[in-house]
Amino acid sequence: MGRGSAMLEVKNIRAGYGDMQVLFDVSLEVGEKECVALVGSNGAGKTTLLRIISGLLPVASGSVSFLGIDLLKTPASKRAELGIAHIPQGRGILHSLTVYENLMLGGYNKRVKKRRNDLIEKSFEMFPKLKQRQNQIAGSLSGGEQQMLAIARGLMSDPKLIMFDEPSLGLAPVVVEDMFRVIVDINKTKKIPILLVEQNAFMALSISNRCYVMENGRITLNGPSKELLESDEVRKSYLGG
């Protein structure tokens, strides 16, 4: 699938925590309708990059733009209103609230607040199990159901881009397959671009259009996912072959 014009552009980002530099001149982009994977080992800097795009971490230098808007000059609270949804590692749901309450909070930005009821109905159409469990405390759901709730809550903001951080983490293999089917459906059917950070490199490469490989805070490889799947370097380092 063609990239079209880039929705998200990250250029030459340098960032870290205190005196420890984590990212070194990182650049990537996500185009309209694309699913772009970012793979790499633990500690490579993938989550740090997503946190920067969401406005949760400052940068030392570089630029981040979304739909032509300078994100580094946009408060974190306003980025959801622009249409960026971030589904963090570990689900990010509010365990003590019900499924329904979690979804309502997901649709709290000004752009969608008046449409929350319609958006909840759409979420229930996509995830019938959540409709059955709408009055259940979120913390009592299974791991797979919690991940589906996290995705549904992200969709409640009617996003123009969704960032997933390790969505398969801690899930049973059969649940992982279901979840990746949902991600493909969001991208292909709902036409929502996706930036997918995932340790399961084979699955990430299998469902994405393009992929960036990050090692020690640097992008070391990038290209069409089909080509990287066949790359000896990628197979040896990330696919166990």
Side-chain angles (χ1 to χ4, degrees):
M1 185 184 294
R3 207 179 305 182
S5 56
M7 294 187 75
L8 175 71
E9 287 187 276
V10 175
K11 290 184 180 175
N12 303 317
I13 286 293
R14 292 184 171 214
Y17 302 91
D19 293 332
M20 183 177 72
Q21 190 170 344
V22 176
L23 299 180
F24 301 83
D25 295 311
V26 169
S27 297
L28 61 72
E29 61 181 52
V30 180
E32 293 174 7
K33 302 178 184 175
E34 271 196 307
C35 178
V36 174
L38 176 62
V39 303
S41 57
N42 265 337
K46 307 183 301 296
T47 293
T48 298
L49 182 61
L50 294 196
R51 287 170 63 81
I52 286 167
I53 296 166
S54 285
L56 303 176
L57 276 179
V59 304
S61 61
S63 65
V64 184
S65 67
F66 179 67
L67 297 173
I69 296 164
D70 184 350
L71 286 189
L72 299 184
K73 292 180 179 174
T74 306
S77 60
K78 298 290 184 188
R79 298 189 195 191
E81 287 180 26
L82 287 177
I84 299 173
H86 182 182
I87 299 170
Q89 202 175 116
R91 326 284 180 246
I93 60 171
L94 296 167
H95 286 69
S96 61
L97 299 183
T98 65
V99 167
Y100 183 82
E101 288 166 339
N102 266 277
L103 292 174
M104 286 295 279
L105 284 172
Y108 215 73
N109 75 67
K110 291 175 186 173
R111 189 166 54 85
V112 301
K113 204 170 179 181
K114 290 178 180 175
R115 296 188 282 127
R116 279 192 296 185
N117 290 332
D118 289 341
L119 288 164
I120 280 186
E121 283 310 308
K122 286 180 181 176
S123 292
F124 286 158
E125 283 172 23
M126 191 166 193
F127 303 106
K129 265 190 183 176
L130 294 183
K131 184 170 187 176
Q132 295 166 17
R133 289 162 169 66
Q134 61 182 296
N135 298 316
Q136 194 170 322
I137 297 297
S140 68
L141 300 175
S142 70
E145 290 165 347
Q146 287 186 19
Q147 186 59 277
M148 295 306 173
L149 175 57
I151 294 171
R153 197 176 75 162
L155 288 169
M156 282 292 297
S157 65
D158 193 18
K160 297 172 184 173
L161 170 76
I162 303 181
M163 303 190 300
F164 288 91
D165 192 358
E166 304 283 9
S168 74
L169 198 66
L171 299 182
V174 65
V175 179
V176 169
E177 287 185 20
D178 285 344
M179 190 205 49
F180 277 115
R181 274 195 288 271
V182 167
I183 292 173
V184 169
D185 184 47
I186 289 169
N187 179 237
K188 305 291 187 200
T189 307
K190 293 185 178 296
K191 310 291 186 192
I192 300 173
I194 286 170
L195 177 56
L196 172 66
V197 164
E198 179 55 59
Q199 270 199 285
N200 185 333
F202 179 77
M203 288 297 282
L205 285 162
S206 297
I207 70 167
S208 58
N209 305 109
R210 293 185 302 112
C211 179
Y212 294 84
V213 177
M214 183 179 276
E215 291 177 26
N216 300 318
R218 292 177 168 85
I219 301 295
T220 55
L221 278 173
N222 75 87
S225 298
K226 284 181 180 175
E227 287 180 17
L228 292 186
L229 262 174
E230 294 165 7
S231 154
D232 288 341
E233 189 176 343
V234 172
R235 292 179 79 86
K236 187 176 177 184
S237 299
Y238 300 102
L239 305 178

